[in-house]
Amino acid sequence: MHIADFVSGSFAGACGVAVGYPLDTVKVRIQTQKQFTGVWQCAATTFSKEGVHGFFKGMSLPLTTITMTSSVVFGTYRNCLQCLSQSRGACPNTKLDVFVSGLAAGIAQTSVMSPGDIVKVRLQCQTESKRKGANMPKLKYNGPVHCLLSIIKEEGFKGLYRGVLPLVLRDGPSYATYFLTYTTICEWLTDSSKKRPDWGGVMLAGGVAGMVGWTIGTPMDVIKARLQMDGTRETRRYKGFYHCITETVRVEGAGVFFRTLGINCLRAFPVNMVVFLTYEVLTGLLKDGPGGVDPPRIGFE
């Protein structure tokens, strides 16, 4: 077991959340609420009505749970690579190994991610301000814990896993291409005289990998968010996963699945630069001490 990968993955994920959360809030609101028509309009409206706090609603729970989900992602990925290598007599990992390990990592983390994710989405879509006033509408959720308990009370424990199917279909393929892109770019950027890329290569590979992953995952991300929010403000519109897809296409067209692709890529590049840089630095420290902080390769040889 590569315990260092679990530990460094958890810290890397927390850093990624801190960097990308404001844009994530804008993305979720555009996906789920028709009053928001674009990135700048959504950002300006959020700031004018709710202040800076509006961009960070629901952040505390994801910041806590991301340490578990990222730990599962990086730990599962690294240990799957090791198992696949050992199954062939300690042969170097192939690109297919990287893809399969990434797929397994993405699917594995949905079990611990789903409850925190639905709380995050519902708090992000709560556009009412905390500012006091006679005409201010009352908040449905007072915070992450209240939101979590309210979902359990109203929908049961299964309510915490609403939207889990599109979450699996988003994260499985996304993480498969995410890790494959990262390791491939690292290989391209590594000089023939070296075994590892420099830190600039690690950051570039991480940023591009994040953009590719979100390009694959954005359509299912839209469906996930809509199912998670369905019925919280009005009567339920969707009967299930397939009905949500067909109804969304019928009413808004297929282009709606990529409406937030731009902001996803804009957020993904800096977030995943930070994630991989943090992960690689901490993994080197934990495995080899201060002398081991060199850009490592976590994919195929």
Side-chain angles (χ1 to χ4, degrees):
M1 290 288 288
H2 289 257
I3 302 300
D5 293 276
F6 285 98
V7 176
S8 54
S10 67
F11 281 97
C15 291
V17 168
V19 171
Y21 202 84
L23 286 177
D24 186 66
T25 298
V26 173
K27 174 210 66 169
V28 170
R29 291 188 172 190
I30 293 173
Q31 287 177 338
T32 58
Q33 300 180 49
K34 293 182 179 180
Q35 62 176 301
F36 300 117
T37 57
V39 175
W40 300 116
Q41 183 263 348
C42 180
T45 302
T46 298
F47 182 76
S48 64
K49 290 184 177 181
E50 305 164 63
V52 175
H53 171 264
F55 295 100
F56 294 92
K57 283 184 174 179
M59 181 177 171
S60 58
L61 187 61
L63 199 59
T64 302
T65 58
I66 195 67
T67 58
M68 291 187 292
T69 57
S70 290
S71 172
V72 170
V73 166
F74 282 95
T76 301
Y77 170 75
R78 191 67 181 89
N79 284 283
C80 278
L81 282 179
Q82 183 184 34
C83 289
L84 290 171
S85 174
Q86 290 178 347
S87 69
R88 296 193 303 270
C91 292
N93 288 117
T94 64
K95 292 183 180 181
L96 181 60
D97 290 344
V98 174
F99 185 87
V100 171
S101 298
L103 183 70
I107 293 173
Q109 62 108 34
T110 58
S111 61
V112 293
M113 179 183 184
S114 187
D117 188 63
I118 192 170
V119 170
K120 174 186 78 72
V121 168
R122 292 199 178 181
L123 289 174
Q124 286 176 322
C125 292
Q126 187 169 254
T127 56
E128 296 82 5
S129 175
K130 280 190 172 182
R131 298 167 182 171
K132 303 295 183 181
N135 298 322
M136 291 291 182
K138 185 179 179 181
L139 295 173
K140 181 175 181 178
Y141 304 118
N142 296 323
V145 175
H146 180 249
C147 180
L148 183 72
L149 295 176
S150 296
I151 293 172
I152 295 173
K153 180 180 178 181
E154 295 169 7
E155 306 172 46
F157 282 98
K158 68 177 182 180
L160 297 176
Y161 288 88
R162 191 198 290 191
V164 72
L165 177 57
L167 182 62
V168 169
L169 295 176
R170 182 195 75 176
D171 286 356
S174 292
Y175 276 104
T177 53
Y178 177 67
F179 284 111
L180 180 60
T181 301
Y182 176 74
T183 52
T184 300
I185 294 176
C186 280
E187 183 182 57
W188 290 346
L189 296 177
T190 303
D191 293 336
S192 57
S193 59
K194 299 179 181 179
K195 293 184 178 180
R196 301 167 176 175
D198 58 25
W199 287 119
V202 168
M203 295 171 69
L204 177 62
V208 174
M211 294 174 68
V212 172
W214 272 106
T215 300
I216 299 295
T218 292
M220 283 298 106
D221 189 54
V222 173
I223 297 301
K224 174 195 71 72
R226 294 192 172 199
L227 287 174
Q228 289 173 329
M229 284 299 298
D230 191 31
T232 58
R233 294 178 176 270
E234 65 279 321
T235 56
R236 186 166 293 186
R237 295 175 55 193
Y238 308 119
K239 298 176 183 178
F241 173 68
Y242 295 108
H243 183 251
C244 181
I245 295 175
T246 56
E247 187 68 9
T248 298
V249 172
R250 185 185 69 81
V251 175
E252 301 173 65
V256 71
F257 293 121
F258 293 96
R259 184 185 297 167
T260 55
L261 177 59
I263 191 170
N264 275 340
C265 290
L266 180 65
R267 179 176 66 93
F269 194 88
V271 165
N272 289 285
M273 279 200 330
V274 171
V275 166
F276 270 108
L277 181 64
T278 305
Y279 169 79
E280 302 286 27
V281 169
L282 289 179
T283 301
L285 282 171
L286 292 171
K287 287 184 176 180
D288 304 312
V293 185
D294 293 316
R297 294 281 297 282
I298 62 170
F300 45 87
E301 295 296 337

